[in-house]
Amino acid sequence: MSILKFMTLGRHIIEGEEMHPEATGELSKLLADLSLAAKVISLEVNKAGLADILGFTGDSNVHGEQVKKLDVYAHDMLIRAMDHGGHLCVMASEEEENIIHIPNRFKIGKYVLLFDPLDGSSNIDANISIGTIFSIYKRITPEGKPGTLEDCLQQGTQQVAAGYVVYGSSTILVYTAGHGVHGFTLDPAFGEFLLSHEYIQIPKKSKIYSINEGNYKYWHPGLKKYIKYLQEEDKASERPYSSRYIGSMVADNHRNLLYGGIFMYPADSRNPKGKLRLMYECDPFAFIIEAAGGRATDGKKRILEIQPQSLHERTPVFMGSEEDVKMVEDFMAKEEAAETK
Ligand code: AHG
Ligand code: MN
Ligand code: MN
């Protein structure tokens, strides 16, 4: 990774918005507030291990203060950074059952923010990459009033921006606001996100698959055949593929975005809707991956065209390099056709 142009995230967002004459600058400010939250969460993530050594985890620290789990900390930090900017009318988070209102004392704006504050949280204590995922919509209810659940339950196609942050060997923020997918690496010395990956394009075909193979027994027969196919040897189609599965979708998808790959969390006989959440995990990634030239479906239908019915609903997901996603869809469709014969 090298810093490309000495372009800060803040300037990049403003220049992107300037391409649209109708833009008010509000989205730029909203994204700037989000990047501040990402910096604060990144700092806290980096000292999570240290806190453990020093005995600061658990219910209270040496000062008798409550110590929060990192995913709750990230959730609180995002709300604190975002509730008073005047740009949002409502928020929703993986960590809160209901929608999050903007307090009365603050201005109510026209945007809606949905987020997974910390993705891959089971990896925190093992020093493995984790992240934050976010999705931004324009409200559909009249302006000036508090936002509602209806504002949150929009199809993914309506997103105006989406992004994620990976807290890994370095911290990187990747976003799209409709003019390409761009990555910014946090320079820890002066605390700025600097452009490091411009106009990211996901390779059309890959050599990497990411899936929790421990669930093999419960899969659709077509999916079982597809994975076996990827493991066979055939030089012409660059098989066998490599298997890479981190257990943080944010990190698996980030790697796939850069090198090519397919990430899958399918439905199975125990979980008919899969595991991952449509609104703040699958939709933002589907938006980013499509903007980078990839494909994201539930096996049949575009993720972005699923009409959400509830905030925390789940969906099966197959996303990444276009040809690979099409191939797994074909394997499952063929098997279903054979079953119904
Ligand atoms: P979260 O930490 O936000 O609950 O999300 C974890 C998700 C996702 O990041 C990851 O890909 C998946 O759970 C891993 O699930 P399995 O352990 O079932 O493979
Ligand atoms: Mn998650
Ligand atoms: Mn989470």
Side-chain angles (χ1 to χ4, degrees):
M1 186 276 303
S2 61
I3 296 306
L4 290 172
K5 277 188 200 156
F6 223 71
M7 164 82 88
T8 64
L9 173 63
R11 209 179 107 207
H12 192 269
I13 293 168
I14 292 169
E15 289 188 4
E17 221 183 7
E18 279 170 0
M19 290 185 206
H20 302 277
E22 74 289 358
T24 59
E26 268 187 78
L27 185 62
S28 302
K29 290 179 195 145
L30 199 168
L31 287 164
D33 289 349
L34 264 173
S35 76
L36 176 63
K39 286 181 204 171
V40 179
I41 297 168
S42 177
L43 260 181
E44 199 65 18
V45 167
N46 289 337
K47 62 184 194 203
L50 191 60
D52 222 7
I53 293 164
L54 299 176
F56 285 111
T57 54
D59 286 335
S60 58
N61 63 20
V62 287
H63 310 291
E65 296 159 348
Q66 286 274 312
V67 175
K68 289 174 183 153
K69 279 177 64 191
L70 208 50
D71 39 11
V72 177
Y73 175 89
H75 164 88
D76 290 345
M77 184 50 63
L78 279 157
I79 294 174
R80 277 182 60 193
M82 303 308 299
D83 67 358
H84 59 282
H87 319 300
L88 295 175
C89 64
V90 66
M91 291 184 261
S93 160
E94 183 192 24
E95 300 300 329
E96 182 121 7
E97 197 181 336
N98 299 314
I99 57 171
I100 302 160
H101 291 290
I102 303 301
N104 291 336
R105 61 187 185 281
F106 301 131
K107 189 183 156 223
I108 293 174
K110 64 177 180 198
Y111 289 104
V112 177
L113 175 69
L114 302 161
F115 55 86
D116 177 354
L118 215 61
D119 177 71
S121 48
S122 66
N123 282 328
I124 296 170
D125 291 338
N127 250 343
I128 296 170
S129 296
I130 50 181
T132 297
I133 310 170
F134 62 88
S135 174
I136 299 167
Y137 294 83
K138 259 197 193 135
R139 68 182 304 168
I140 49 177
T141 55
E143 282 188 36
K145 293 187 184 150
T148 66
L149 182 60
E150 198 191 336
D151 292 310
C152 296
L153 298 182
Q154 299 188 50
Q155 279 188 23
T157 47
Q158 300 305 110
Q159 288 171 96
V160 291
Y164 63 84
V165 187
V166 186
Y167 312 105
S169 47
S170 56
T171 295
I172 183 165
L173 186 152
V174 175
Y175 89 103
T176 181
H179 46 90
V181 179
H182 310 283
F184 297 79
T185 302
L186 182 62
D187 184 320
F190 53 96
E192 282 279 12
F193 279 106
L194 297 176
L195 183 62
S196 52
H197 301 73
E198 200 174 23
Y199 289 103
I200 300 171
Q201 284 286 310
I202 183 167
K204 290 286 174 202
K205 187 197 165 302
S206 78
K207 288 183 284 184
I208 293 176
Y209 70 94
S210 322
I211 190 167
N212 184 342
E213 265 178 290
N215 295 329
Y216 183 88
K217 185 178 183 310
Y218 309 107
W219 290 346
H220 187 286
L223 179 59
K224 287 183 178 169
K225 283 194 180 161
Y226 170 70
I227 298 295
K228 284 291 163 224
Y229 169 84
L230 296 183
Q231 294 168 347
E232 285 163 10
E233 192 179 356
D234 176 51
K235 282 214 173 71
S237 54
E238 298 186 285
R239 287 178 292 146
Y241 275 36
S242 288
S243 163
R244 295 278 183 276
Y245 189 73
I246 295 171
S248 301
M249 77 173 301
V250 75
D252 276 313
N253 275 320
H254 179 61
R255 182 205 54 240
N256 290 354
L257 206 58
L258 298 182
Y259 305 155
I262 174 168
F263 174 87
M264 295 164 271
Y265 211 110
D268 64 35
S269 56
R270 291 188 303 182
N271 303 298
K273 293 217 77 182
K275 174 182 183 187
L276 299 179
R277 314 290 181 147
L278 174 63
M279 302 245 50
Y280 41 78
E281 290 183 319
C282 298
D283 266 336
F285 264 110
F287 194 65
I288 294 162
I289 286 173
E290 283 198 6
R295 183 175 175 92
T297 71
D298 66 359
K300 290 186 175 135
K301 192 177 176 183
R302 229 174 131 206
I303 291 289
L304 296 180
E305 287 176 7
I306 299 174
Q307 175 58 51
Q309 305 296 333
S310 65
L311 220 41
H312 300 285
E313 75 184 57
R314 299 171 197 269
T315 178
V317 67
F318 301 84
M319 49 171 55
S321 295
E322 187 179 17
E323 287 180 25
D324 297 277
V325 176
K326 281 186 175 159
M327 189 175 286
V328 69
E329 289 165 10
D330 287 348
F331 267 84
M332 293 191 295
K334 269 188 203 136
E335 197 64 26
E336 272 173 32
E339 275 169 20
T340 51
K341 259 188 195 161

